[in-house]
Amino acid sequence: MNILEKIKTNYSASLNEMTVAAYLEECKQDPKMYAKPAERILDAIGEPEILDTRQDPVLSRIFSNKKIKIYPAFRDFYGMESTIEQIVSYFRHSAQGLEEKKQILYLMGPVGGGKSSLAEKLKHLMQQNPIYVLKAGEEVSPVFESPLGLFADYTDELESEYGIPSRYVPSCMSPWASKRLREFDGDVNRFKVIRLYPSIQEQIAISKTEPGDENNQDISTLVGKVDIRKLAEYQQSDPDAYSYTGGLCLANQGLLEFVEMFKAPIKVLNPLLTATQEKNYKGTEPIGAIPFDGIILAHSNESEWAKFLNDKKNEAFLDRIYKVQVPYVLRVSEEIKIYEKLIRESSLRDAPCAPKTIELLAEFSVMSRLKEPENSSIYSKMRVYNGETLRETDPNAKSIQEYRDDAGINEGMQGISTRFAFKILSKVFNFDSEEIAANPVHLLYVLEQEVIKMMLPPETETKYLHLIKSVLASRYAEFISDEIQKAYIESYSSYGQNIFEKYVIYADHWMQNNDYRDPDSGEIFDRSILNEELEKIEKPAGIANPKDFRSEVTNFFLRYKANHGGQSPRWDSYEKIKNVIEKKIFTNTEDLLPVVSFNVKTNEEDEKKHRDFTRRMRERGYTDKQIRILVDWFMRVRKTMA
């Protein structure tokens, strides 16, 4: 089926019509015919995948070995597992008929944290399952009411005859339906039931309300108002003279999104109280109660919430709110996925991006959101939050739970937004007029300039500039130094394997307190000499606890050989020892500077080495322009690194 046929099929499928009697008979067989909005959206969300974090060392550290639920419908919402679980819990409890069915789902979080994206996703999910709406003649109920509203006074009979629980029956029928029922002399069979799919575009069972001007906004934005064009034909109190265009009218049996809800005057919000508690509300004219059986989804930032919370006059309203915090992402790996998704959905998807660019931006964003820890570095805290273990590299690092307990529940509610970060990334890609590409050097420069332009409080600006200049720049200097040296030393892999195997032999004999005889030279190494040789490898990498490190690496080596038929592991197959050996390899590489620089070479041999170096850098993911920029930057900062 092509796209044109699919649109036609979906449109015609939403126009199915039946009698009220046929609808009730269908209800006997299929409870989905009268399902509440929370049940329909739960069905659209689907069953979660259960992820046992004990099977993944990184996730086990982040989630403390718990089993977590992953909902496929929200797979693109990275690092928001807790938030999404709270939202789904709201729908689950509401579908069970618990107190949540009378409460407003309220998302509270900082700007650019994902509140609007979550709201849009929920509205799209609401479109997946149909609703059944009352129809009289050629006119569909203007408030998309359920046919069961006709039986609001006959709930016991409805349950006994058709098995429909009373809690599924609306509290009343609409004034529109009440007028038609009088015209039909109480003959319910003259009504029809039509199947419709909720639609964002058509505002069928889905609507959106925004706060207007405090001086002229009134409750009509929610409940509708009289249509003055019809007053020549109908009385003002006639239901047919009423314009059912308010958010509550259009969102019946579906979802009402209230953007920045607490910016609206309290008088505008009052209809939400009766709509949530009594499942009906009054219009602006004396036309009778209008039913509402839908979900109210509101969102705003923390400052609006705090202002509303501190006003004692709002206590009744506060008791009807189910608050879900939507903080910024605090895991670098998940923040990277957000940027990669945004890039994929733009024209930058094929533009070159040098290694480490996106990671550095994610690190800056996450560190800006973290509370500064005591007796530990914010960089270490960021890495622990990302599921890394720093036992060997930072003895001052705390456990993830200690960091969380110290930070409190509001961590992640401040800092750099994902929206701001992507604007930074856009400027970095377009920084060079000759090449649409991104690299960390341009990123660090643009970040610094944009932070200064933000006119932040002095304390915050100082913190951000420190993160850029001292933390990120120094870390990147180490990274690009390794990249350049790896590209320079072509045979460093075999050299690394030799160091690895020798290290394991020395460490094993040292732990067993045995002397070691070198098979090539015949020289005997006692325990003190073995220790000196091991320290030559460990000290450049800053190993804090060499005894445990030696034991861990040796055990890894021996276990691997035992499980792979006596074959030794590659030196770079174990991240910890890989980093240590790389530090050892690249301790003395003074001769690389004249080769990697773009100055004129004095001999053909250096020129060939330079060409080989640039070729290997290209293989590592850099463009020719980026290689020159990064090498020049490395040469400048190298003196400060020494």
Side-chain angles (χ1 to χ4, degrees):
M1 186 186 297
N2 65 32
I3 188 170
L4 303 179
E5 293 170 338
K6 189 173 183 180
I7 292 173
K8 183 178 179 181
T9 303
N10 289 346
Y11 182 78
S12 60
S14 68
L15 300 176
N16 292 350
E17 191 174 297
M18 67 185 82
T19 64
V20 173
Y23 169 74
L24 292 175
E25 287 298 326
E26 287 282 336
C27 288
K28 275 186 179 180
Q29 309 300 323
D30 186 5
K32 287 186 178 181
M33 299 288 288
Y34 53 83
K36 295 279 188 180
E39 294 174 74
R40 286 185 275 111
I41 205 167
L42 267 181
D43 181 73
I45 291 171
E47 290 298 316
E49 301 169 3
I50 306 299
L51 180 62
D52 188 350
T53 62
R54 291 176 299 179
Q55 309 303 319
D56 186 310
V58 172
L59 293 178
S60 69
R61 287 189 284 269
I62 295 171
F63 296 102
S64 304
N65 289 325
K66 296 175 184 174
K67 292 182 179 179
I68 59 173
K69 296 177 180 177
I70 304 296
Y71 295 89
F74 296 98
R75 198 177 291 280
D76 287 345
F77 289 82
Y78 303 109
M80 299 178 73
E81 296 86 359
S82 175
T83 298
I84 290 166
E85 183 56 40
Q86 290 179 68
I87 292 172
V88 175
S89 293
Y90 166 84
F91 291 124
R92 187 181 299 116
H93 298 163
S94 179
Q96 293 168 346
L98 304 178
E99 183 60 29
E100 281 79 356
K101 72 176 182 177
K102 297 181 179 180
Q103 294 190 318
I104 297 168
L105 175 59
Y106 169 62
L107 307 180
M108 187 268 285
V111 294
K115 302 186 300 296
S116 297
S117 297
L118 283 168
E120 287 300 311
K121 185 65 179 181
L122 292 172
K123 288 192 292 185
H124 277 90
L125 289 169
M126 184 59 78
Q127 293 181 122
Q128 293 188 16
N129 289 313
I131 59 173
Y132 294 85
V133 177
L134 208 55
K135 184 180 180 183
E138 295 301 315
E139 190 179 1
V140 176
S141 168
V143 293
F144 307 113
E145 66 189 294
S146 165
L148 299 182
L150 297 171
F151 307 95
D153 297 328
Y154 304 93
T155 55
D156 293 340
E157 293 89 335
L158 198 65
E159 184 166 4
S160 62
E161 290 185 39
Y162 296 99
I164 302 172
S166 59
R167 69 186 182 91
Y168 287 95
V169 181
S171 61
C172 62
M173 71 178 81
S174 72
W176 174 88
S178 181
K179 178 181 178 180
R180 268 103 193 124
L181 190 60
R182 287 195 302 272
E183 292 173 349
F184 297 159
D185 294 325
D187 186 357
V188 173
N189 289 320
R190 294 182 64 180
F191 285 100
K192 299 293 185 201
V193 177
I194 188 171
R195 184 177 72 174
L196 295 174
Y197 277 85
S199 169
I200 298 171
Q201 179 67 29
E202 303 293 332
Q203 290 195 86
I204 298 173
I206 299 176
S207 68
K208 187 174 185 176
T209 300
E210 298 176 351
D213 189 289
E214 283 197 17
N215 298 320
N216 59 27
Q217 189 179 26
D218 57 34
I219 63 171
S220 64
T221 57
L222 287 175
V223 304
K225 58 185 176 181
V226 70
D227 188 343
I228 58 175
R229 293 171 299 180
K230 295 183 178 180
L231 291 179
E233 187 178 351
Y234 302 103
Q235 292 184 3
Q236 191 166 340
S237 60
D238 192 304
D240 286 340
Y242 200 74
S243 176
Y244 300 90
T245 54
L248 290 170
C249 307
L250 298 172
N252 189 30
Q253 291 208 76
L255 187 147
L256 167 64
E257 179 190 5
F258 205 139
V259 181
E260 301 291 349
M261 182 174 76
F262 294 129
K263 287 183 178 178
I266 190 66
K267 64 178 182 179
V268 175
L269 303 179
N270 283 333
L272 299 180
L273 296 177
T274 52
T276 53
Q277 293 298 297
E278 300 168 23
K279 295 302 177 183
N280 62 69
Y281 54 94
K282 291 286 290 181
T284 58
E285 307 299 327
I287 59 170
I290 305 171
F292 178 77
D293 193 4
I295 294 163
I296 300 172
L297 169 65
H299 50 88
S300 69
N301 59 42
E302 192 173 9
S303 61
E304 295 296 333
W305 166 253
K307 182 179 175 182
F308 193 84
L309 182 66
N310 292 327
D311 191 337
K312 292 295 182 182
K313 293 182 293 185
N314 301 330
E315 285 183 351
F317 211 97
L318 293 167
D319 194 45
R320 291 165 170 82
I321 288 176
Y322 182 98
K323 181 168 72 77
V324 175
Q325 287 199 173
V326 186
Y328 289 130
V329 173
L330 297 180
R331 282 150 54 200
V332 171
S333 59
E334 299 300 296
E335 186 79 2
I336 289 172
K337 291 176 184 176
I338 296 173
Y339 301 157
E340 289 174 341
K341 176 190 172 186
L342 293 170
I343 291 172
R344 279 197 308 271
E345 295 172 352
S346 74
S347 62
L348 299 175
R349 62 184 302 168
D350 297 321
C353 185
K356 205 73 173 177
T357 308
I358 294 177
E359 185 178 340
L360 281 174
L361 179 60
E363 288 179 349
F364 173 73
S365 297
V366 170
M367 285 191 289
S368 76
R369 302 163 185 170
L370 296 177
K371 180 184 175 183
E372 196 81 38
E374 293 183 11
N375 304 320
S376 177
S377 74
I378 196 167
Y379 187 79
S380 292
K381 180 177 182 178
M382 174 201 71
R383 292 180 62 191
V384 170
Y385 271 32
N386 204 41
E388 299 180 49
T389 176
L390 306 183
R391 185 175 58 188
E392 297 296 340
T393 55
D394 183 0
N396 293 324
K398 302 176 184 177
S399 69
I400 191 167
Q401 195 57 51
E402 286 179 294
Y403 281 131
R404 286 173 178 164
D405 291 344
D406 177 62
I409 61 172
N410 288 324
E411 188 172 41
M413 302 297 283
Q414 295 179 333
I416 293 297
S417 72
T418 303
R419 189 179 296 135
F420 174 83
F422 194 62
K423 286 192 289 186
I424 292 289
L425 204 54
S426 303
K427 291 184 178 182
V428 173
F429 269 100
N430 292 280
F431 186 84
D432 193 324
S433 59
E434 298 177 4
E435 180 182 64
I436 297 180
N439 67 73
V441 171
H442 289 161
L443 171 70
L444 293 170
Y445 176 79
V446 171
L447 258 182
E448 182 179 344
Q449 297 305 308
E450 291 303 311
V451 165
I452 293 170
K453 288 179 187 176
M454 287 170 72
M455 303 292 288
L456 296 164
E459 184 179 342
T460 306
E461 181 179 301
T462 301
K463 173 187 173 182
Y464 288 178
L465 292 178
H466 170 74
L467 292 177
I468 297 166
K469 294 179 177 180
S470 299
V471 181
L472 296 181
S474 62
R475 299 287 174 178
Y476 182 65
E478 294 177 12
F479 173 82
I480 195 61
S481 173
D482 285 350
E483 287 282 272
I484 289 171
Q485 290 173 113
K486 289 172 187 175
Y488 169 76
I489 303 175
E490 187 170 19
S491 61
Y492 86 102
S493 184
S494 59
Y495 183 29
Q497 190 69 25
N498 291 334
I499 294 177
F500 177 44
E501 293 181 5
K502 184 173 287 188
Y503 179 87
V504 171
I505 292 171
Y506 287 177
D508 188 33
H509 281 76
W510 180 85
M511 287 186 297
Q512 301 297 329
N513 202 14
N514 293 332
D515 293 343
Y516 171 69
R517 180 185 292 274
D518 190 310
D520 297 322
S521 65
E523 185 179 359
I524 296 177
F525 295 176
D526 62 20
R527 198 166 190 264
S528 63
I529 297 176
L530 287 173
N531 188 62
E532 289 175 8
E533 294 298 318
L534 291 167
E535 286 182 346
K536 289 178 184 177
I537 300 173
E538 295 161 349
K539 281 188 175 179
I543 297 301
N545 194 336
K547 181 179 179 181
D548 290 345
F549 183 78
R550 293 168 188 176
S551 174
E552 194 172 343
V553 172
T554 305
N555 287 337
F556 164 78
F557 185 92
L558 296 176
R559 281 198 309 271
Y560 187 97
K561 285 190 72 172
N563 295 329
H564 293 81
Q567 181 181 351
S568 298
R570 280 179 52 88
W571 70 277
D572 56 358
S573 62
Y574 191 43
E575 190 68 24
K576 290 182 179 180
I577 191 64
K578 171 179 175 285
N579 294 334
V580 170
I581 292 174
E582 284 180 346
K583 296 287 185 185
K584 169 64 177 175
I585 293 175
F586 302 137
T587 301
N588 300 307
T589 52
E590 292 297 325
D591 54 341
L592 70 81
L593 297 178
V595 172
V596 303
S597 73
F598 283 80
N599 299 330
V600 178
K601 303 296 179 282
T602 57
N603 56 66
E604 180 59 32
E605 183 182 356
D606 281 356
E607 184 64 42
K608 181 181 182 303
K609 287 181 179 178
H610 181 75
R611 287 196 301 269
D612 290 341
F613 162 74
T614 54
R615 173 180 55 79
R616 288 192 286 270
M617 285 291 282
R618 283 195 296 271
E619 290 170 357
R620 302 182 82 84
Y622 301 91
T623 67
D624 288 336
K625 188 79 177 284
Q626 289 173 343
I627 297 169
R628 180 182 285 271
I629 291 169
L630 299 179
V631 167
D632 287 347
W633 185 84
F634 167 71
M635 302 286 274
R636 287 198 307 272
V637 302
R638 188 176 173 279
K639 292 181 180 178
T640 62
M641 291 171 56

